[in-house]
Amino acid sequence: MTTRRLALILGDQLSFDLPSLQALDPQQDAVLLAEVAAETDYVPHHPQKIALIFSAMRHFAEALREHGWRVQYVALDDPDNSGSLPGELQRWVAQLQATEVHVTECGEWRLEDQLKRSGVPITWHADSRFICGRDEFVQWAEGRKQLRMEFFYREMRRKTGLLLNGDGTPVGGAWNFDAENRKALPKQIKAPMTARFSADAITQDVLVLVAGRFSHHYGSLASFDYPVTHADAEALWQHFLDFALPAFGDYQDAMAVGEPFLFHARISAALNIGLLDVRRLCADVEAAYWRGQVPLNAAEGFIRQLIGWREYVRGIYWMHMPEYAERNAFGNTRPLPEFYWTGKTRMKCMSQAIGQTLEHAYAHHIQRLMVTGNFALLAGIQPSQVCDWYLAVYMDAFDWVELPNTLGMVMHADGGYLGSKPYCASGQYIKRMSNYCGDCAYKVTESVGEQACPFNALYWHFLMRHREQLSGNHRLGMIYRGLDKMSDAKQQGLWARGEQLLARLDAGDAL
Ligand SMILES: Cc1cc2nc3c(=O)[nH]c(=O)nc-3n(C[C@H](O)[C@H](O)[C@H](O)COP(=O)(O)OP(=O)(O)OC[C@H]3O[C@@H](n4cnc5c(N)ncnc54)[C@H](O)[C@@H]3O)c2cc1C
Ligand code: SF4
């Protein structure tokens, strides 16, 4: 029997309700999944990220076969593998004599562009796994000079009906309870055990493949314990609902030595590759709130991340790619310091955040934003190098979500389009939200001198060198007034220490 139609399923599209699958008939059509070098090599992805995607793809292919689908699966080491997705598509269209090809829109502009230029006519399907479609976001954003997540989020609350009273007002009398979600972790509170998943035969094969092919990429494979099937992703989610969600809000921004996960869900990678469904997750969280199992600040905070931030960054990405990736509002040119790949620096906060990233391909939001991101912002690192690092090292990193978070939120390289002010902070913020500073070679209470916390002088240096661009920002007005009240000698001391730290970075010093 000739296959009439073929669906290409990408490694981050492992959902049974994917529109391109729904459009086909398992009785007569075929599905193609391919592991290709072009996708593993365009940045040096963390080995655990590659293992996750390949293992989840192989499990999904098995599940599709069990559902009666005819699946063509191309393994990375298949001698006929052309090495790219356009190449595999061309090869299999010819081999199966497919007359129609169906693809759900990609997560990455780069790949969608490659497929559109592949010469294969494709029927494209909108990705219904997101709450806000690409066009819908453009309509919302039209005519706005600056976008604000908060207003978009309220639209999404109205659209989904989540945490709304019968009259459409927000439950609890406010849309956002973020002010309650900034507590440091008290010593007596311990994070729950993490849910771990052991490797079955499929995953073990993949781990061997990845260990052999990608040992030159930064990051360890040893602690791989991530879910690779829908059932295990579900178990990870249930574990979070039962043990971590109630405290998620309170300690959302907290950081602690030796605690990589705290009360975070660790579901981003499973969600981004299609093992979990965003609407289901939000419904579960809302139900837990109505049952009285979790406080409102936890439920609202979690739902905001999913229907607010996650959908918002995706909308911005698709509205402005590919030029968004080139933005560099501060004109930064400094290369990414080598210690981002090794974690070898005397700054405890940085060594903790980078160290756990290398070990688990994971750091939580505040570590990404206020530690590694904050340092890159203050040190004036070139945004594209910072973005490539985030894209490589995190298990959940796909361009549509990583790029706006890094380039827009962290580096403020879009000039304030995504966020109203740079998330710059001195060591005082890290001290308040963590116990890192007590165990650091530097003194967070000092700003100048050899022992002084590098974040402190770099913070003021950043504000001084970008005064022209930033002093008019009303959210930074108080900070600039504080700077202006400092004596000339103090300002000169901070500037000199900042210059010295930047010169040391330029000389390859890991600080
Ligand atoms: C510089 C930087 C880069 C980032 N890169 C990525 C990335 O490549 N992929 C990614 O999924 N997230 C990214 N994030 C957002 C966030 O850090 C991760 O989603 C989160 O840490 C994942 O861990 P978790 O599942 O335990 O999340 P939790 O803290 O438990 O949060 C729950 C969920 O909310 C969603 N979420 C939270 N914040 C964001 C956000 N800002 N943007 C999008 N979704 C969000 C995620 O799906 C996450 O799983 C980035 C953040 C920053 C500051
Ligand atoms: S003292 Fe500074 S460098 Fe050290 S952990 Fe604290 S904030 Fe980080």
Side-chain angles (χ1 to χ4, degrees):
M1 181 174 59
T2 311
T3 299
R4 308 286 303 165
R5 298 182 296 179
L6 177 67
L8 170 67
I9 308 289
L10 307 173
D12 59 353
Q13 298 185 336
L14 311 179
S15 311
F16 292 106
D17 56 359
L18 197 73
S20 45
L21 260 187
Q22 296 288 320
L24 269 57
D25 176 1
Q27 301 303 316
Q28 53 180 3
D29 300 324
V31 168
L32 169 65
L33 290 107
E35 302 169 359
V36 293
E39 297 304 309
T40 56
D41 295 352
Y42 70 98
V43 289
H45 297 288
H46 196 298
Q48 289 196 37
K49 180 180 178 188
I50 301 174
L52 165 75
I53 294 173
F54 284 1
S55 178
M57 284 171 69
R58 291 181 185 197
H59 281 93
F60 190 61
E62 286 300 307
L64 287 174
R65 285 190 184 111
E66 281 163 22
H67 282 75
W69 285 93
R70 179 177 167 196
V71 179
Q72 303 299 331
Y73 194 94
V74 184
L76 189 70
D77 49 10
D78 182 331
D80 296 326
N81 189 330
S82 63
S84 78
L85 287 166
E88 284 312 284
L89 195 55
Q90 286 157 355
R91 186 161 78 93
W92 285 99
V93 165
Q95 201 145 320
L96 300 172
Q97 298 183 334
T99 51
E100 278 178 37
V101 170
H102 290 252
V103 185
T104 298
E105 55 194 18
C106 304
E108 306 212 347
W109 184 89
R110 171 192 60 82
L111 183 59
E112 193 163 296
D113 183 54
Q114 285 175 17
L115 290 172
K116 283 180 175 160
R117 289 190 287 108
S118 67
V120 176
I122 292 174
T123 303
W124 288 95
H125 297 265
D127 195 341
S128 58
R129 298 174 304 163
F130 290 90
I131 291 165
C132 182
R134 291 184 191 177
D135 293 345
E136 187 184 346
F137 189 87
V138 173
Q139 278 166 22
W140 173 80
E142 222 159 51
R144 297 170 200 246
K145 266 198 196 137
Q146 283 188 324
L147 305 185
R148 289 297 161 256
M149 195 288 292
E150 183 61 28
F151 299 120
F152 170 77
Y153 166 56
R154 291 177 193 179
E155 283 298 309
M156 292 300 105
R157 284 274 292 277
R158 290 190 191 98
K159 179 173 179 181
T160 56
L162 287 161
L163 294 177
L164 292 187
N165 296 312
D167 61 358
T169 55
V171 169
W175 292 99
N176 182 323
F177 293 87
D178 201 29
E180 294 175 28
N181 291 3
R182 295 171 192 157
K183 297 185 182 75
L185 190 73
K187 274 201 184 103
Q188 69 278 13
I189 298 225
K190 297 279 168 252
M193 299 274 287
T194 48
R196 307 196 60 174
F197 299 87
S198 52
D200 64 5
I202 293 179
T203 302
Q204 279 170 13
D205 280 353
V206 168
L207 290 174
V208 170
L209 172 82
V210 173
R213 284 283 290 265
F214 302 101
S215 57
H216 59 293
H217 289 197
Y218 289 93
S220 150
L221 253 190
S223 63
F224 185 84
D225 63 356
Y226 209 70
V228 291
T229 63
H230 289 82
D232 282 353
E234 189 60 33
L236 176 69
W237 172 242
Q238 281 304 325
H239 182 87
F240 169 71
L241 286 177
D242 293 342
F243 299 108
L245 179 61
F248 170 83
D250 284 358
Y251 306 117
Q252 191 180 350
D253 289 1
M255 301 175 278
V257 174
E259 289 288 358
F261 310 117
L262 287 169
F263 296 90
H264 293 274
R266 286 180 78 207
I267 48 115
S268 47
L271 176 62
N272 292 348
I273 66 174
L275 301 184
L276 292 168
D277 173 68
V278 69
R279 294 177 180 83
R280 241 287 313 292
L281 303 185
C282 290
D284 285 354
V285 171
E286 187 188 37
Y289 167 71
W290 289 122
R291 283 196 303 270
Q293 286 169 352
V294 301
L296 185 55
N297 67 317
E300 186 281 320
F302 197 84
I303 286 173
R304 174 159 28 88
Q305 306 309 319
L306 288 177
I307 70 168
W309 280 112
R310 186 169 184 269
E311 300 278 336
Y312 178 69
V313 298
R314 177 175 184 264
I316 288 181
Y317 178 84
W318 284 107
M319 202 163 87
H320 291 289
M321 280 301 280
E323 62 79 24
Y324 194 77
E326 305 301 319
R327 296 197 196 178
N328 185 359
F330 292 130
N332 293 346
T333 54
R334 183 160 287 109
L336 188 78
E338 177 63 21
F339 63 75
Y340 270 77
W341 297 107
T342 63
K344 289 188 181 145
T345 164
R346 296 192 310 142
M347 293 180 282
K348 187 72 179 179
C349 52
M350 292 290 279
S351 68
Q352 280 285 304
I354 298 169
Q356 72 168 69
T357 297
L358 296 174
E359 192 181 347
H360 299 292
Y362 179 89
H364 70 67
H365 185 71
I366 290 299
Q367 294 173 303
R368 298 187 206 194
L369 180 64
M370 301 309 293
V371 179
T372 45
N374 187 23
F375 188 86
L377 173 72
L378 302 183
I381 310 299
Q382 194 177 352
S384 62
Q385 294 199 24
V386 184
C387 292
D388 281 355
W389 182 78
Y390 278 96
L391 188 60
V393 298
Y394 290 111
M395 181 121 67
D396 57 23
F398 296 89
D399 210 35
W400 64 267
V401 52
E402 175 278 321
L403 187 83
N405 268 300
T406 309
L407 188 137
M409 195 187 307
V410 160
M411 299 305 291
H412 207 67
D414 62 4
Y417 180 72
L418 178 146
S420 57
K421 84 173 196 39
Y423 284 88
C424 53
S426 71
Q428 290 307 316
Y429 174 86
I430 295 171
K431 176 176 176 265
R432 194 165 66 247
M433 296 313 303
S434 78
N435 59 4
Y436 293 152
C437 301
D439 199 14
C440 181
Y442 293 102
K443 292 195 166 68
V444 72
T445 47
E446 295 178 13
S447 298
V448 293
E450 273 309 301
Q451 296 300 307
C453 167
F455 281 85
N456 290 341
L458 286 175
Y459 170 71
W460 293 111
H461 192 280
F462 167 80
L463 289 167
M464 288 187 229
R465 73 178 185 269
H466 297 301
R467 179 185 278 273
E468 207 173 302
Q469 275 161 287
L470 297 178
S471 59
N473 183 319
H474 72 279
R475 295 190 64 195
L476 294 174
M478 212 166 79
I479 293 166
Y480 274 103
R481 283 194 291 283
L483 176 62
D484 292 338
K485 279 188 196 146
M486 288 180 195
S487 67
D488 286 352
K490 188 165 182 188
Q491 289 191 32
Q492 281 159 15
L494 289 168
W495 180 261
R497 168 76 173 152
E499 287 283 292
Q500 181 218 32
L501 289 163
L502 295 176
R504 279 171 59 183
L505 283 179
D506 290 341
D509 187 319
L511 299 186

